[in-house]
């Protein structure tokens, strides 16, 4: 009886502390099933596609200025052009796929799928990360293979499993004859339609997608009632017993209330056995020794070597199956989770870390270990993570919290209490 009362209290206290809803948003629903050989439908823009206001509570003005390169203007004309390009399927090989196909604003700029699906229904190897707050990333993609948003914008356009254009020039040719585009390029950059400015415009739009104004931001700003007691306890656990801050903070000894990432890469034990990481690493190292490294962007999306993660970029054995630490803002509404979309709820994520999963993985990050988190503590951690949901996604977040909460009461495939409370086994050698 006590357990049921506690769960109900946690649930309703969460619903009570999220900020007020925005107009025009919809709750989470499963992504549509697809016909064989068909790309997902192009999403509409809607009010959630609009650039975000710098007036949000928690908005880091100094950091935003520091990460905005002067070579990419954020003028209204450049941003409007970038927003139009972001939703335009003509940049793809057959006109069916846009940036927004995998980054739908109604889904907090993700697609709701475990892994992305692109042109001709081709299934990729990785989960689509949100574009929200991507401007603060020191590198882009799960493996950090792009250093800037401009570079990131280019790669999916020509990837055969994503947008499938044969070249950036081919993508530009699809819009070069459009008079509206001709006028917009001239207004934004003073010249006609071209590849470089196309990428600069997309990046300019993406840099406006700073997403703050969450209940947690209001709490940090001084409103002690902005988050629940459960979320407050979860914030303390996040920085102590749960060890989340070892990756989701700029440093392990200083709390981070802005980006929640160390901008580094870690092997956290996801899919090691399922994907034959060991043999794939040996194969990749053999190809490197022969002077035939795998084509980076193609391998990352189209082949099983995708699971090698950061190693594909650095060629360092220590980076085998290491992936970028994601920003946790809006994590409630950007599932499924991890680079392969293998976890369906935040409770699954907590269970994965709680048991120190991947302990037979020779490349496992040294900070992964059993955490001995109790069920109430896991609930508190999820309550804290839910408090990072921006006000624009309040309704979506409420519905997703309710869905995940209900699932977590009956279906916990990652839970292993015995391992969670056991000692950390010795890690095998490389």
């Amino acid at each position: 009886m006590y357990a049921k009362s506690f769960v109900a209290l946690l649930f309703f206290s969460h619903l009570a502390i999220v900020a007020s809803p925005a107009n025009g948003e919809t709750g989470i629903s499963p992504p549509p099933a697809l016909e064989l050989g068909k790309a997902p439908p192009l999403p509409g823009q809607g009010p959630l596609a609009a650039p975000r206001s710098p007036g949000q509570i928690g908005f880091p003005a100094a950091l935003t200025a520091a990460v905005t390169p002067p070579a990419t203007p954020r003028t209204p004309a450049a941003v409007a052009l970038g927003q139009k390009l972001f939703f335009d399927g003509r940049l793809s090989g057959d006109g069916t796929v846009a940036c927004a196909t995998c980054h739908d604003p109604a889904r907090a700029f993700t697609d709701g799928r475990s892994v992305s699906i692109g042109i001709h229904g081709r299934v990729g190897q990785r989960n689509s990360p949100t574009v929200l707050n991507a401007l603060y990333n020191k590198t882009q993609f799960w493996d950090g293979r792009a250093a800037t948003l401009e570079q990131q914008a280019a790669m999916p356009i020509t990837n055969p499993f994503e947008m499938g254009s044969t070249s950036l020039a081919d993508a530009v040719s699809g819009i070069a004859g459009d008079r509206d585009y001709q006028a917009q390029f001239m207004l934004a950059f003073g010249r006609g339609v071209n590849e470089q400015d196309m990428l600069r415009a997309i990046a300019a739009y993406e840099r406006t997608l700073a997403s703050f104004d969450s209940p947690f931001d209001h709490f940090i700003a001084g409103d002690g009632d902005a988050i629940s007691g459960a979320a407050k306890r979860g914030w303390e656990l996040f920085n102590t017993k749960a060890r989340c801050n070892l990756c989701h903070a700029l440093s392990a000894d200083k709390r981070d209330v802005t980006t929640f990432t160390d901008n580094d890469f870690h092997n956290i034990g996801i899919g090691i056995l399922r994907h034959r990481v060991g043999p794939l690493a040996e194969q990749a190292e053999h190809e490197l020794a022969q002077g035939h490294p795998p084509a980076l962007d193609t391998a990352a999306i189209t082949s099983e070597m995708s699971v090698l993660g950061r190693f594909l970029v650095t060629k360092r054995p220590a980076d085998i199956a290491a992936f970028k630490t994601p920003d946790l803002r809006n994590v409630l509404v950007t599932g499924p989770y991890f680079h392969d979309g293998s976890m369906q709820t935040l409770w699954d994520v907590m269970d994965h870390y709680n048991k120190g999963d991947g302990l037979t993985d020779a490349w496992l990050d040294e900070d992964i270990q059993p955490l001995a988190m109790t069920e109430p503590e896991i609930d508190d951690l999820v309550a804290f993570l839910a408090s990072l949901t921006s006000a624009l996604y309040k309704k979506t977040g409420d519905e997703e919290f309710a869905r995940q909460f209900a699932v977590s009461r009956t279906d916990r495939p990652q839970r292993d209490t015995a391992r969670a409370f056991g000692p950390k086994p010795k890690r095998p050698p490389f």
Side-chain angles (χ1 to χ4, degrees):
M1 182 70 179
Y2 171 78
K4 290 182 179 179
S5 298
F6 171 82
V7 164
L9 178 62
L10 170 69
F11 176 65
F12 288 111
S13 66
H14 166 78
L15 294 184
I17 52 85
V18 185
S20 57
N23 293 328
E25 68 182 279
T26 59
I28 285 181
S29 59
L34 302 177
E35 295 180 42
L36 187 65
K38 298 288 186 181
L42 284 171
Q45 295 194 32
L48 291 173
R52 304 300 198 253
S53 166
Q56 302 169 76
I57 297 295
F59 179 81
L63 176 61
T64 303
V67 300
T68 303
T72 298
R74 283 183 58 182
T75 62
V79 170
L81 172 59
Q83 182 172 347
K84 182 175 180 179
L85 290 163
F86 193 89
F87 289 87
D88 197 332
R90 287 179 290 178
L91 302 187
S92 69
D94 65 355
T96 64
V97 180
C99 304
T101 300
C102 294
H103 303 288
D104 182 352
R107 298 179 182 274
F109 288 85
T110 64
D111 61 8
R113 302 180 187 276
S114 293
V115 293
S116 59
I117 299 177
I119 191 170
H120 307 312
R122 292 170 180 164
V123 180
Q125 296 285 324
R126 293 185 184 167
N127 178 263
S128 294
T130 180
V131 179
L132 295 173
N133 293 335
L135 73 160
Y136 304 112
N137 295 339
K138 290 188 176 179
T139 59
Q140 305 296 333
F141 297 115
W142 281 107
D143 54 21
R145 65 186 183 276
T148 68
L149 284 172
E150 287 80 2
Q151 293 173 8
Q152 183 278 326
M155 293 182 185
I157 293 174
T158 57
N159 189 290
F161 271 49
E162 295 182 291
M163 296 173 69
S165 282
T166 57
S167 65
L168 290 177
D170 183 50
V172 166
S173 70
I175 60 172
D178 186 306
R179 290 187 177 181
D180 287 339
Y181 269 127
Q182 292 169 2
Q184 283 191 271
F185 271 82
M186 187 61 64
L187 180 62
F189 298 104
R191 48 184 174 256
V193 182
N194 66 89
E195 298 172 26
Q196 181 186 24
D197 291 337
M198 175 181 71
L199 301 178
R200 293 170 71 198
I202 293 172
Y205 168 60
E206 292 179 337
R207 288 193 177 96
T208 70
L209 300 177
S211 187
F212 295 89
D213 200 28
S214 69
F216 179 77
D217 291 308
H218 286 259
F219 170 69
I220 291 298
D223 182 357
D225 296 325
I227 65 175
S228 66
K232 292 175 185 176
R233 293 190 298 270
W235 173 231
E236 291 303 312
L237 288 164
F238 182 92
N239 291 287
T240 54
K241 181 179 179 180
R243 300 165 63 87
C244 309
N245 62 316
L246 298 183
C247 295
H248 292 284
L250 296 176
S251 67
D253 57 358
K254 185 176 181 181
R255 297 191 178 192
D256 174 28
V257 298
T258 304
T259 60
F260 298 99
T261 176
D262 60 0
N263 282 296
D264 207 346
F265 302 83
H266 302 274
N267 179 325
I268 58 171
I270 295 294
I272 296 299
L273 298 179
R274 177 163 58 92
H275 286 294
R276 302 185 305 112
V277 169
L280 285 169
E282 291 179 3
Q283 178 185 341
E285 288 179 317
H286 175 74
E287 292 182 14
L288 286 171
Q290 297 297 314
H292 303 294
L296 178 54
D297 194 54
T298 301
I301 300 299
T302 68
S303 80
E304 195 180 10
M305 280 200 180
S306 172
V307 301
L308 297 179
R310 184 66 173 167
F311 173 79
L312 293 173
V313 179
T314 67
K315 315 302 189 292
R316 296 175 60 245
D319 286 330
I320 288 173
F323 291 86
K324 186 173 69 176
T325 305
D327 181 343
L328 295 179
R329 288 185 173 275
N330 294 303
V331 66
L332 176 64
V333 293
T334 55
Y337 305 109
F338 295 135
H339 66 271
D340 61 353
S342 57
M343 305 291 174
Q344 298 302 308
T345 73
L346 289 174
W347 278 270
D348 292 339
V349 172
M350 293 300 103
D351 287 340
H352 168 82
Y353 285 118
N354 197 31
K355 65 187 177 184
D357 205 12
L359 293 172
T360 59
D361 168 12
W363 304 278
L364 188 70
D365 191 276
E366 63 182 7
D367 289 325
I368 300 294
Q369 64 180 50
L371 298 173
M373 304 292 294
T374 66
E375 286 299 308
E377 287 173 331
I378 290 174
D379 287 339
D380 287 347
L381 277 165
V382 174
F384 161 67
L385 293 174
S387 79
L388 298 176
T389 306
S390 299
L392 286 173
Y393 292 100
K394 180 207 181 302
K395 182 174 183 289
T396 304
D398 287 351
E399 294 176 359
E400 181 62 4
F401 185 88
R403 184 192 73 81
Q404 291 194 22
F405 177 88
V407 170
S408 74
R409 300 306 102 175
T410 60
D411 187 11
R412 296 283 285 277
Q414 300 300 320
R415 180 162 55 184
D416 190 330
T417 303
R419 281 179 57 182
F421 284 83
K424 179 179 180 178
K426 185 177 179 180
R427 188 171 67 174
F430 282 148

